Each structure stands twice: as C-alpha cells, then as structure tokens.
C-alpha cells in the first residue's frame, strides 16, 4: 500500500477501532472536523482516520497499525504548532487530546503529566501546591510539542528550557515498545527527545521538576503610545540588562487590541506593550518594576499582584484558535540598538491589527549548561525575536506573509545563527532545521537511525535517518 494514500478500508478501520479504547473518527462523522482543526487556520488537512487515545495501550495500537500498514502517522498534542504538524492528509492522526491527567507529588516537587495536556492544565494542578513547571506564555498551548522542541516562558530565565526541567518521559517507539527514558535509562533517546521533537517516538507522559512559584506574583502588562517606542525600548534595554532572573519582561509592538484595560480611543492604534512577570518576593518586585511603572505616560497599566495562573493566560485572547498565522523567528544574542530600530520601523508597516513584533528574553539559566546538554542546544540565545503575522481572511494571506518576510529579511542578521524549531513555519525545511539544531544535528541523525530508521515519525521538523 502507498504510504501516503490510505483509502479507508472497513476491515482495517474495525481492526484499529478494536484496539483503541477512545474510539476512532472518520470523515463525515460528527466531531471529525473539530478533531482535525488546529490553531492555525492556514492548515486544512484531512486525515483518513483519527484515533482518540485514552492511554498508552491505545497509542501502541496506533503506532503498530501505522507501521504494519505503511500509513502516514501524525500526532496531535495541543494542535498549536504553526506548521500544523499534528494533522496529516490521508493518513492516521493519533489524537492525544483526551489524555490530560496531571499527578503532582508536592513533597518531591515533581508532576507526571499526560501528553495531551495544555499548559493551563498543568498550572491549575501544580498551583494548588504553590508549585509550577517551566512552561510557555499561552495557556492553550500543548505541553508535548512545546517541551519536545525546547520550551520557554516566564520561568525560563531562572530555570532553563522546559525540556531542561524534564526528569523522565514515557514513550512508545516506532517498533512498538513502551520505553521509560531518563538520565539513567535509555539516556540516548532522552537526550534527543529534549529538543528533537517527535522524531523518536510518541511520548505518553512527561515527569517535570517543579519550583515554588506563586500562587501570587507581581505581573501584568503596561502600554504606551507607539510614538514613545524609541524611549520605551531604550528604557527596556537598560532595565532588562540588569534584571534578576526572577524578572521576565517581553516587549510587543502592535496595534492596541480591544482590551478593557486600554482606553477605547486607542483600540486599533499602534502601541508598545511590556508584558511583565516577577516571581520573586513582593518588595524586590516592586523595586525592580518601579522604573517601568514610572516611565512616561502609560495608556494602561495592569502590573500588580495577581495569581500566577491569571498571568499565564494574560495574552491568550490575542492568539485565538482559527485565525490565519505566519511567523518568522530567530534567536538573538542581545538587544542590539539597530535591531530595536528595525522593530519600530517594521511595526509601522504592520498590515493586520492582530500582527505583532515580539521580543522574549530567555537569557539566564539555559546559557549556563553546555551546548550539548540536550538536543535543543541554542545555549547562546539571549532573546527570541518573533515576527507574528495574524489575520482573518484567506484573501489577505499574501500581504501579511510578505510583511513578516520583509521584516525578517532585514532583521535576521542580528540572529545568533540559531532559530527555534517550535516556531518554524510550514515552508521552513532542511536549512532552517539545521539552524535550529546547529552542532547537535549529527547526533540527532544517529539517534534517528537507531530509534526510527524507517522514519515512521516524520510529521515533524524531520531529522531523516540519512541526514540531509
Ligand atoms: C499561541 C502560541 C503561543 C506559543 N507560546 C510559546 C511559548 O511561550 N513558549 C514556547 O516555547 N513555545 C510557544 N509556542 C510554540 C509551541 O511550543 C509549539 O507550537 C508547539 O509545537 C506546540 O505544541 P502542541 O502540542 O500544541 O502542538 P501540536 O501541533 O499538537 O504538535 C506539534 C509537534 O509535536 C509533535 N507531538 C505532539 N505531541 C507529541 C507526543 N505526545 N509525542 C511525540 N510528538 C508529539 C507533533 O507530531 C508535531 O510534530 C506557542 C505557540 C502558539 C501557537
């Protein structure tokens, strides 16, 4: 059978259905379209069959089925990947989204988390104990894709990439084995899974290290008119150059969203926003944030004591599922004044009111580990630049994509040379995958040869077993 064209055969479907406790969905059935839809509406793929896994044995049944019948296999975690890699055409989509259990061990400060969880699921359970895992900025993102590609958020400056803080993973391998991987067992694939995406198996659960954080932090957002952007960015550069790891402060240049904390008359007007989170003691946070809060004439300021959980979903509303998205991204070593000037220049040319140029700081703990500590590498990264085009109508694709490409065309010269695998778009292939892994690429190819020589797991930013 052709690997890429799987015509649904009733006998085969029955065979799979009998092995999957969570059931299967076929085209035309209710829930099929919802199950295949992902965050980025640019992606419109139609799997021949969707298997809704409830546990590791369901995952095992799917992996064996796809391998034995030569069927394209895709794995859906949170469905947030910009390239839409969770969904395949004509093949089997293994849907993990029903596997959302979280078990916290407060005394050991660890959590075992099933791979279908969203970030918000983990925060909700861990914050009951005043603990947090190192995750990302938007609560509806899947933990699996985020962690397997690296992962960064408000706690990264203190504790490193999300994947630096994984103690073990359970996975199902291409040859249908259930493997527990950690520093002590199967440590070669454990290294590769921490950055190498879904190239080596289907991860069914992650064990995260947790840290005392919250339940309240000093955090929120503060915004100024775009005319103040040069001064705000200069202040931002000075503040972040001296910020302790407890303070993470992202900068966004965009048009004002219709948020209640911003005056109505500026909605739709260009603004600059700092999204701030200080996870240290209140007195220190107030001292660190005083300069930001006193700067110029903010249009709105909701930096205050708030729950960590509320901060973790503060910008969710700006990134809804179902819009069209296109990103260009780079890791930066530092905030070069020339780059900041270009951020302002290209933000003035933004086409859609939903688009933004975003700077996230990551420097700190991750820089102190050796480059080959885990596959994610990029240990020289100080910042993430993300040029995020976001719009509503298919007819506007070209102009929005061109805006992002033009901005990136002038800004990528400020890159470390590395890029973030989790932010790569559909058309970014081999060259960009090499850039994402740098010197770690060769070791990933070796691992692919050992753990998935037939490239069963290829709906990802693919590491082919023969290299490229
Ligand atoms: C709005 C938004 C905000 C974001 N914010 C951040 C952020 O703050 N920090 C950050 O680091 N990243 C962030 N990201 C990027 C995010 O890390 C990636 O989009 C990531 O791929 C999402 O994971 P997912 O499980 O939702 O994706 P999916 O689309 O479900 O999957 C992504 C890839 O992972 C593979 N995969 C998923 N589950 C498994 C599994 N169980 N086993 C093996 N492979 C699997 C899939 O096959 C696919 O190749 C953000 C993305 C979006 C859209």
């Amino acid at each position: 059978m052709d690997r890429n064209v799987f015509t649904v055969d009733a006998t085969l479907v029955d065979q799979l259905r009998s092995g999957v406790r969570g059931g299967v969905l076929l085209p035309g059935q209710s829930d099929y379209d919802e199950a295949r839809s992902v965050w980025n509406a640019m992606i419109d793929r139609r799997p021949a069959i969707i298997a809704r896994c409830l546990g590791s044995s369901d995952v095992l049944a799917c992996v064996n089925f796809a391998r034995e019948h030569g069927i394209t296999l895709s794995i859906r975690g949170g469905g947030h990947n910009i390239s839409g890699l969770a969904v395949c055409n004509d093949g089997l989509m293994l849907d993990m989204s029903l596997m959302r259990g979280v078990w916290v061990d407060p005394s050991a400060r660890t959590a075992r988390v099933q791979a279908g969880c969203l970030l918000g699921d983990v925060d909700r359970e861990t914050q009951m104990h005043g603990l947090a895992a190192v995750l990302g900025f938007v609560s509806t993102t899947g933990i699996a894709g985020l962690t397997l590609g690296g992962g960064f958020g408000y706690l990264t400056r203190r504790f490193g990439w999300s994947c630096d803080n994984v103690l073990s993973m359970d996975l199902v391998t291409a040859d249908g084995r259930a493997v527990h991987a950690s520093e002590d067992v199967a440590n070669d694939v454990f290294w590769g899974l921490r950055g190498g995406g879904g190239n080596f198996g289907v991860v069914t659960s992650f064990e995260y290290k947790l840290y005392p954080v919250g339940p309240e932090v000093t955090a929120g957002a503060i915004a100024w008119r775009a005319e103040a952007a040069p001064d705000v960015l200069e202040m931002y550069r000075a503040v972040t150059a001296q910020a302790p790891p407890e303070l993470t402060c992202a900068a966004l240049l965009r048009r004002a969203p219709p948020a209640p904390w911003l005056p109505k008359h500026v909605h739709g007007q260009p603004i600059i926003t700092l999204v701030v989170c200080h996870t240290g003691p209140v007195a220190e946070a107030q001292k660190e944030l005083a300069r930001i809060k006193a700067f110029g004439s903010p249009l709105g300021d909701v930096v205050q004591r708030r729950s960590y959980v509320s901060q973790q979903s503060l910008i969710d509303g700006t990134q809804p599922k179902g819009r069209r998205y296109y990103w260009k991204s780079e890791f930066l070593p530092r905030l070069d004044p020339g780059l900041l000037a270009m951020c302002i220049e290209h933000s003035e040319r933004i086409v859609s009111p939903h688009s933004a140029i975003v700077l996230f700081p990551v420097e700190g703990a991750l820089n102190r580990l050796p480059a080959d500590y885990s596959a994610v590498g990029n240990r020289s990264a100080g910042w993430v630049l993300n040029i995020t085009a976001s719009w509503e109508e298919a007819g506007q694709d070209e102009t929005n994509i061109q805006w992002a490409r033009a901005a990136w065309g002038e800004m990528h010269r400020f890159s470390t040379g590395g890029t973030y695998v989790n932010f790569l778009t559909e058309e970014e292939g081999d060259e960009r995958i090499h850039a994402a892994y740098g010197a770690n690429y060769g070791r990933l190819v070796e691992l692919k040869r050992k753990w998935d020589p037939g490239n069963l797991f290829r709906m990802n930013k693919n590491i082919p077993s023969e290299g490229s």
Side-chain angles (χ1 to χ4, degrees), residues 205-276:
S205 74
F206 298 80
E207 182 191 6
Y208 290 98
K209 209 191 248 189
L210 304 178
Y211 298 94
V213 170
E216 279 199 333
V217 292
T218 311
I222 177 167
W224 297 262
R225 285 184 187 283
E227 295 80 65
D231 295 335
V232 172
L233 284 177
E234 198 39 52
M235 174 273 290
Y236 177 65
R237 211 161 73 90
V239 168
T240 54
Q242 299 185 349
E246 285 78 8
L247 176 59
T248 289
C249 185
L252 286 81
L253 293 102
R254 55 165 295 153
R255 302 224 194 117
W261 65 281
L262 292 168
K264 272 206 171 103
H265 67 272
V266 297
H267 293 178
Q269 300 298 310
I271 57 166
I272 176 163
T273 306
L274 299 186
V275 177
V276 173

Side-chain angles (χ1 to χ4, degrees), residues 39 74-82 84-86 96 115 136-138 140-146 148 150-153 197-198 201-204 206 319 327 360 420 422-423 459-461:
W39 171 78
S74 68
I75 304 146
R76 182 198 171 110
H80 252 214
N81 191 271
I82 182 92
L85 291 164
M96 308 287 285
F137 293 91
V138 171
T140 48
T141 310
I143 57 128
L146 178 131
L148 291 168
F152 67 91
V202 185
V203 175
T204 54
F206 298 80
Q319 304 290 320
W327 293 353
F360 301 98
Y420 185 33
N422 274 346
F423 284 0
M459 284 298 295
N460 43 43
K461 287 301 171 187

Side-chain angles (χ1 to χ4, degrees), residues 100-373:
R100 287 172 72 169
V102 180
W103 294 269
V104 181
D105 180 341
S107 54
R109 290 186 179 163
T110 60
R112 169 69 59 190
V113 178
Q114 282 188 310
C117 280
L118 307 182
L119 308 195
D121 300 332
V122 182
D123 286 332
R124 187 179 156 90
E125 299 299 328
T126 55
Q127 279 291 285
M128 271 177 63
H129 306 281
L131 297 169
V134 179
L135 297 170
F137 293 91
V138 171
S139 74
T140 48
T141 310
I143 57 128
L146 178 131
T147 306
L148 291 168
F152 67 91
Y154 293 115
L155 301 179
T156 296
R157 298 198 58 233
R158 290 178 72 180
F159 307 118
W161 299 120
S162 302
C163 68
D164 293 342
N165 292 285
V166 172
L167 298 170
S168 68
M169 299 184 205
D170 288 315
L171 68 146
V172 171
T173 60
D175 56 1
R177 285 176 299 132
V179 168
H180 181 72
S182 70
E183 285 292 0
D184 301 322
V185 273
N187 61 0
D188 62 342
V189 77
F190 184 60
W191 179 89
L193 288 166
R194 286 176 297 147
N199 269 287
F200 310 108
V202 185
V203 175
T204 54
S205 74
F206 298 80
E207 182 191 6
Y208 290 98
K209 209 191 248 189
L210 304 178
Y211 298 94
V213 170
E216 279 199 333
V217 292
T218 311
I222 177 167
W224 297 262
R225 285 184 187 283
E227 295 80 65
D231 295 335
V232 172
L233 284 177
E234 198 39 52
M235 174 273 290
Y236 177 65
R237 211 161 73 90
V239 168
T240 54
Q242 299 185 349
E246 285 78 8
L247 176 59
T248 289
C249 185
L252 286 81
L253 293 102
R254 55 165 295 153
R255 302 224 194 117
W261 65 281
L262 292 168
K264 272 206 171 103
H265 67 272
V266 297
H267 293 178
Q269 300 298 310
I271 57 166
I272 176 163
T273 306
L274 299 186
V275 177
V276 173
C277 181
H278 194 296
T279 55
V282 190
E284 281 174 32
Q286 283 171 344
K287 205 171 100 205
E288 295 293 337
L289 296 174
R291 185 167 171 196
I292 297 178
K293 287 175 79 71
F295 192 83
S297 310
L299 292 166
D301 176 1
V302 284
V303 177
Q304 61 201 41
R305 290 299 281 171
R306 60 170 67 239
S307 73
Y308 179 68
V309 169
S310 82
Q311 180 68 10
Q312 285 286 86
S313 54
L314 191 77
I315 59 170
D316 284 12
T318 65
Q319 304 290 320
K321 180 180 172 190
R323 274 200 202 130
R324 304 175 80 78
Y325 293 95
Y326 180 86
W327 293 353
K328 290 301 273 186
S329 179
E330 292 296 328
F331 285 125
L332 310 172
R334 68 191 76 82
L335 287 185
D336 189 286
L339 173 109
L340 296 178
M342 279 185 186
C343 288
I344 295 172
E345 189 185 323
H346 287 280
S347 69
E348 286 165 359
R349 298 184 197 151
I350 275 178
V351 190
S352 157
H354 309 308
S355 298
I357 297 180
V358 190
L359 293 159
F360 301 98
V362 292
E363 63 185 354
L366 72 86
N367 307 121
R368 291 191 282 276
L369 291 168
D372 63 351
Y373 176 78

Side-chain angles (χ1 to χ4, degrees), residues 408-468:
W408 176 80
E410 290 193 23
M411 289 199 252
H412 81 272
R413 71 187 170 87
F414 295 97
S415 171
T416 59
T419 187
Y420 185 33
V421 73
N422 274 346
F423 284 0
L424 294 182
T425 47
E426 211 180 347
E427 92 271 354
E428 291 184 300
D430 288 347
E431 195 187 327
R432 297 287 281 164
I433 297 171
H434 273 275
Y437 293 117
N440 288 338
Y441 185 84
R443 192 163 158 194
L444 286 166
V445 173
E446 302 273 307
L447 280 176
K448 187 74 176 177
R449 262 182 217 138
K450 176 173 170 191
W451 289 86
D452 183 22
N455 207 10
L456 180 67
F457 305 119
R458 62 183 181 285
M459 284 298 295
N460 43 43
K461 287 301 171 187
N462 198 231
I463 312 279
S465 55
E466 67 282 4
S468 63

